[in-house]
Amino acid sequence: MDVQDIKNRFGIIGNSPLLNRAIDIARQVAPTDISVLITGESGSGKEVFSHIIHSLSARKHGPFIAVNCGAIPEGTIDSELFGHEKGSFTGASDARKGYFEVVDGGTIFLDEVAELPLGTQARLLRVLETGEYIRVGSSKVQKTNVRVMAATNKDVFDAVMAGKFREDLYYRLNTVPLKVPALRERKEDINLLFRKFIADFTDKYRSPSVQLDQSAQQMLMDYSWPGNVRQLKNIAEQIAVLEKERNLSAQHLLNYIPNEVGSTLPMRIRNQEKEDFSERDILYKVLFDMKKDMTDLKKLVADIIQNGGNNSDFKPNPQVLNKLYRDIEIPANSNISSDPHKLIIHKPHDKSYEITHEAEEVEESLSLVDKESDLIKKALKKHKGKRKLAARELGISERTLYRKIKELEL
């Protein structure tokens, strides 16, 4: 059976290369018992592909069941999948078979598999690897022969990285990945699908046929369709029932297609939390910028000291001045020139010095011992040698201060 035959059999409409590729993968993997992980957005038709694989497999005469893992409460999911014994929990008045027991010899499709609790994931992994499971409240190991297909609209690998999904189960389910394209990724199929849906619903509700002009067709193709095929089908049904005008333009479709809020421009969203600056990162950046500005300021001061205010000894260094004065508004009545290429500093005796010399950077000692020694000296000097007050100023005990004074030979 080729791709077109599968489309005809299962009512699949479209000629998108991405859609044809997904159908071809389903066709090739169907005769095997390999686990398949079907990924795609909600409403894109993932369950249809599970039916394709089951119908073309050797298990086609066996039972098939689709289980929505996200719709079953966490407390009862194990009982639903693996069954339970009488009295195993409150309300278990009788023993019950689970899906893996009922579907023995057939296929089970686990939709929204990423919603499974971690404990259930461990039980599922055991079934996939050995075919064994244990009912809730029992100690007897039972065997089953079931082909498992799973589907999700989430990025399971991200869930693995976040610790919400078992890595071993991910690789066991993802033996063959099958991605169902979103509707916006197969724009050439949108008008075909709409015509099919509108014809079905006008026939069902016995309403006149509907035609789209060029602007309406273009609007359907330009819309992002977050609900995919399911959303397109719902809108077609609304139009078939509610719309009085049967020749539709883009203006008519505005009554049925929701407004898209926000920009649809491409943007990178993955690992966004890793790229955002934390408050600590911002503080570090501010401190580093302040340190660089202080170093540049020391250069200017060193120029003045070394050259003694002799204008002829300086060379233009506007880059440093531009950086230091980029955020400063200089008053009109100030003695400081607003031109960073010609900064004039006035001394008390009205002697002006033009700073244009590029000074050598003055290296600052980064020794912790030197810093500690300087702080202790300043504290002792401030409190006129009184160790008790100096220790309180430094935030240490008087005994620690005494020991530091001996160690540093102050």
Side-chain angles (χ1 to χ4, degrees):
M1 185 177 289
D2 61 15
V3 172
Q4 189 58 48
D5 291 335
I6 294 174
K7 289 181 183 179
N8 295 336
R9 179 176 173 181
F10 292 92
I12 299 175
I13 298 173
N15 297 305
S16 164
L18 292 175
L19 177 65
N20 291 340
R21 172 62 177 162
I23 295 173
D24 188 52
I25 291 175
R27 179 182 63 84
Q28 294 182 63
V29 78
T32 70
D33 261 349
I34 296 175
S35 299
V36 181
L37 180 61
I38 305 172
T39 58
E41 295 181 7
S42 180
S44 57
K46 297 186 291 296
E47 188 170 342
V48 174
F49 283 83
S50 69
H51 285 287
I52 293 174
I53 294 173
H54 174 69
S55 298
L56 300 180
S57 70
R59 299 173 181 266
K60 60 184 177 182
H61 299 298
F64 173 90
I65 189 169
V67 181
N68 189 332
C69 301
I72 303 175
E74 183 175 342
T76 61
I77 184 70
D78 285 351
S79 172
E80 294 289 326
L81 293 178
F82 309 108
H84 64 260
E85 296 293 341
K86 180 179 179 180
S88 56
F89 55 86
T90 303
S93 56
D94 294 300
R96 180 185 180 278
K97 293 181 179 181
Y99 297 135
F100 278 97
E101 188 172 352
V102 173
V103 188
D104 190 17
T107 304
I108 186 167
F109 173 59
L110 301 177
D111 197 8
E112 305 304 338
V113 71
E115 303 295 333
L116 285 176
L118 288 172
T120 308
Q121 292 176 29
R123 287 171 169 258
L124 176 59
L125 179 63
R126 181 173 176 82
V127 173
L128 290 171
E129 291 182 341
T130 66
E132 298 177 350
Y133 67 96
I134 301 175
R135 284 186 179 183
V136 176
S138 173
S139 58
K140 181 183 177 181
V141 176
Q142 300 194 54
K143 297 282 289 186
T144 187
N145 179 18
V146 173
R147 181 178 190 175
V148 176
M149 286 184 287
T152 180
N153 60 1
K154 295 183 178 180
D155 190 329
V156 185
F157 190 73
D158 286 349
V160 170
M161 294 296 99
K164 296 180 180 179
F165 199 84
R166 291 179 64 101
E167 186 174 8
D168 46 6
L169 178 59
Y170 167 69
Y171 289 116
R172 188 66 180 78
L173 289 172
N174 199 33
T175 306
V176 175
L178 193 158
K179 185 179 186 305
V180 181
L183 188 56
R184 63 179 170 276
E185 297 173 332
R186 37 187 291 228
K187 289 182 178 293
E188 60 269 39
D189 298 337
I190 293 176
N191 285 314
L192 286 174
L193 284 164
F194 182 82
R195 288 203 298 269
K196 173 65 169 62
F197 293 148
I198 205 72
D200 290 344
F201 289 125
T202 52
D203 182 61
K204 178 180 178 180
Y205 299 115
R206 299 180 182 179
S207 57
S209 62
V210 174
Q211 300 294 327
L212 300 179
D213 68 10
Q214 191 62 38
S215 66
Q217 294 180 30
Q218 189 62 44
M219 185 176 185
L220 289 180
M221 294 179 64
D222 291 341
Y223 185 61
S224 65
W225 298 108
N228 292 290
V229 178
R230 185 185 293 128
Q231 182 185 11
L232 178 63
K233 187 175 181 179
N234 290 344
I235 287 177
E237 187 169 13
Q238 291 177 47
I239 291 174
V241 174
L242 303 176
E243 184 58 51
K244 296 179 180 179
E245 178 64 45
R246 310 318 283 180
N247 294 312
L248 304 184
S249 65
Q251 192 64 33
H252 294 104
L253 290 183
L254 287 175
N255 297 322
Y256 303 95
I257 296 180
N259 290 328
E260 293 189 294
V261 180
S263 173
T264 57
L265 293 175
M267 62 180 292
R268 184 179 179 186
I269 59 174
R270 181 168 292 182
N271 297 331
Q272 184 176 1
E273 68 279 359
K274 296 180 182 177
E275 296 172 0
D276 291 342
F277 284 110
S278 66
E279 185 177 353
R280 183 178 62 181
D281 295 331
I282 295 173
L283 288 174
Y284 281 152
K285 186 178 185 303
V286 170
L287 291 173
F288 288 143
D289 288 344
M290 289 176 61
K291 187 176 186 301
K292 290 183 68 176
D293 289 346
M294 288 298 297
T295 302
D296 292 336
L297 188 58
K298 288 176 183 178
K299 289 182 183 179
L300 295 178
V301 175
D303 285 342
I304 298 174
I305 295 173
Q306 290 177 359
N307 294 282
N310 188 352
N311 292 343
S312 62
D313 293 336
F314 291 101
K315 296 179 181 180
N317 186 17
Q319 291 84 2
V320 174
L321 297 177
N322 274 325
K323 182 178 178 183
L324 289 173
Y325 285 90
R326 65 180 181 271
D327 296 325
I328 299 176
E329 293 184 5
I330 301 175
N333 59 352
S334 172
N335 289 331
I336 301 177
S337 170
S338 60
D339 183 3
H341 294 267
K342 188 177 178 68
L343 178 64
I344 306 298
I345 297 179
H346 298 279
K347 284 193 171 184
H349 299 294
D350 294 330
K351 292 183 179 181
S352 300
Y353 298 90
E354 183 179 352
I355 304 174
T356 55
H357 183 268
E358 185 175 359
E360 296 180 359
E361 184 176 353
V362 179
E363 290 292 338
E364 180 184 4
S365 173
L366 299 178
S367 170
L368 291 175
V369 175
D370 292 343
K371 293 292 184 185
E372 190 176 42
S373 178
D374 289 343
L375 288 173
I376 292 175
K377 287 178 181 178
K378 289 178 181 178
L380 289 170
K381 184 177 179 181
K382 177 180 178 180
H383 296 284
K384 299 178 181 180
K386 296 180 179 179
R387 295 177 183 172
K388 185 175 182 180
L389 297 177
R392 186 181 303 169
E393 178 83 13
L394 293 168
I396 58 177
S397 66
E398 188 175 356
R399 183 176 179 181
T400 301
L401 177 60
Y402 181 76
R403 179 170 53 81
K404 290 289 184 183
I405 290 173
K406 293 191 68 176
E407 287 178 0
L408 300 173
E409 298 180 355
L410 300 179

